[in-house]
Amino acid sequence: MAKPAVARETVVALRRQIARIEGGLPERLAGSGDDDGLVLRHGPAARRETRFGSAFLPTGASSFDTALGSGLPRAALVEIHGGQTRDAGAVAGFALCLVGLLRKTGLAERENALCWIGTAEIFREAGFPYAPGLHRFYGLPAGDLFLCAPNETRDALWVAEEAARQHAFAAIVLELRGNPARLDLTATRRLHRRAQEAGRPVFLIREAGTAEPTAAPVRIAVSPAPAALRSTVSGPMAASIGHPAFAVTITKSRAAPAGRLVLEWNPDESSFREIRPENSGALVPASGHRPDIPAAGGTVVALRPAGTAAAAPGQPSRKQHPTHRRARRAR
């Protein structure tokens, strides 16, 4: 009976050691008090703690931060998934919110730029970031945004690795569509290693792609969510639209169980907060000022083709009696 217990303890110890090496456990990033943790904190990990003061990025939403083990890792590869290409705006917006949080933490001015890398295919499908919106909602001036649109996935991966080495960027965003063959486990390991060495995050946005084995310790699925009502001094304003909202699901994290949250981004405070779906309003209020109110859903309305006369009351239509279309035979 003692041998299975010893073997089980050995397996558990090996799993914990692998998790620390991959950078998935909170003890790996925050620094545990044991000997292994002290050894792993030398080198890049120690430099990260000196520059940022913390290995995690708090988002402001306590439930989300607690689920991830104090927040998102600052120096790691973070996957952000969108189920469909039409959700690219919400997925990219969520990544920009994280960049806004990074810029809020007080990095040096020379390290506040953002490098956005995407293949020409994804920019054709989803469009380019809108500069006035970046400044209004995320506090990112147009002069701090560097765009790169290579044609091939391998070139985009190379640019992302090289950009992670530069100290001018607060974060690197790599946006790809689908499941390109070159985005394999080896490529994501290289990106994760570059993020750890540079002490800055690399956000891998995957539009309309399925989950695959990667080296990213955290994977988040994002989709648009109905916005809550606008808050005022007297309470929520009826038929109004509040701040942008995102439906966030943690699909990969050793410190977090699977769960779905609805987070609202406050551009004035550069912070997230959790909102309840039952408190959310409609994305666009129903039209109420038109003279002709549309019929309720599910109502069947018969329409007559243009240029045809209506049948007299009580007379069958030609569709019901196709014999009327044929000429009569003489008897």
Side-chain angles (χ1 to χ4, degrees), residues 20-261:
R20 290 193 182 97
I21 294 174
E22 292 180 348
L25 290 178
E27 304 92 50
R28 165 66 177 88
L29 295 173
S32 59
D34 55 3
D35 294 337
D36 295 337
L38 293 175
V39 172
L40 290 173
R41 285 177 58 189
H42 290 303
R47 289 196 296 271
R48 289 198 300 271
E49 292 186 0
T50 302
R51 291 180 57 200
F52 296 107
S54 174
F56 292 98
L57 174 66
T59 63
S62 58
S63 301
F64 188 52
D65 293 339
T66 302
L68 290 176
S70 302
L72 285 172
R74 289 181 180 267
L77 176 66
V78 177
E79 279 191 72
I80 306 176
H81 276 236
Q84 301 179 19
T85 306
R86 65 182 181 183
D87 298 336
V91 179
F94 183 79
L96 286 167
C97 293
L98 300 180
V99 174
L101 289 172
L102 283 170
R103 292 169 58 89
K104 182 184 175 182
T105 54
L107 293 175
E109 184 177 355
R110 66 179 183 275
E111 298 180 353
N112 269 346
L114 170 65
C115 183
W116 194 297
I117 307 158
T119 57
E121 176 189 12
I122 188 61
F123 285 139
R124 283 195 301 266
E125 292 289 336
F128 289 92
Y130 183 57
L134 297 181
H135 188 267
R136 166 65 181 88
F137 287 97
Y138 313 106
L140 181 67
D144 290 346
L145 176 65
F146 292 81
L147 286 175
C148 182
N151 292 323
E152 301 294 337
T153 303
R154 63 178 181 181
D155 297 331
L157 292 170
W158 179 83
V159 173
E161 288 189 33
E162 293 301 316
R165 300 173 183 267
Q166 309 302 319
H167 296 290
F169 301 120
I172 310 299
V173 174
L174 175 60
E175 187 176 14
L176 300 174
R177 186 172 186 268
N179 294 79
R182 291 191 174 273
L183 188 64
D184 53 8
L185 186 59
T186 301
T188 56
R189 281 174 177 169
R190 292 174 63 91
L191 289 174
H192 182 53
R193 183 59 180 171
R194 293 293 182 268
Q196 289 181 318
E197 292 175 348
R200 60 179 54 85
V202 176
F203 299 115
L204 175 59
I205 299 179
R206 303 188 63 177
E207 307 287 3
T210 58
E212 294 178 331
T214 63
V218 176
R219 181 188 298 126
I220 302 171
V222 179
S223 60
L229 300 178
R230 184 176 301 176
S231 300
T232 62
V233 177
S234 58
M237 182 184 300
S240 64
I241 300 177
H243 296 307
F246 308 92
V248 179
T249 304
I250 303 172
T251 60
K252 177 185 178 184
S253 176
R254 294 182 179 89
R260 181 179 182 273
L261 301 171

Side-chain angles (χ1 to χ4, degrees), residues 254-270:
R254 294 182 179 89
R260 181 179 182 273
L261 301 171
V262 179
L263 302 181
E264 180 187 69
W265 172 252
N266 189 332
D268 300 322
E269 299 179 359
S270 297

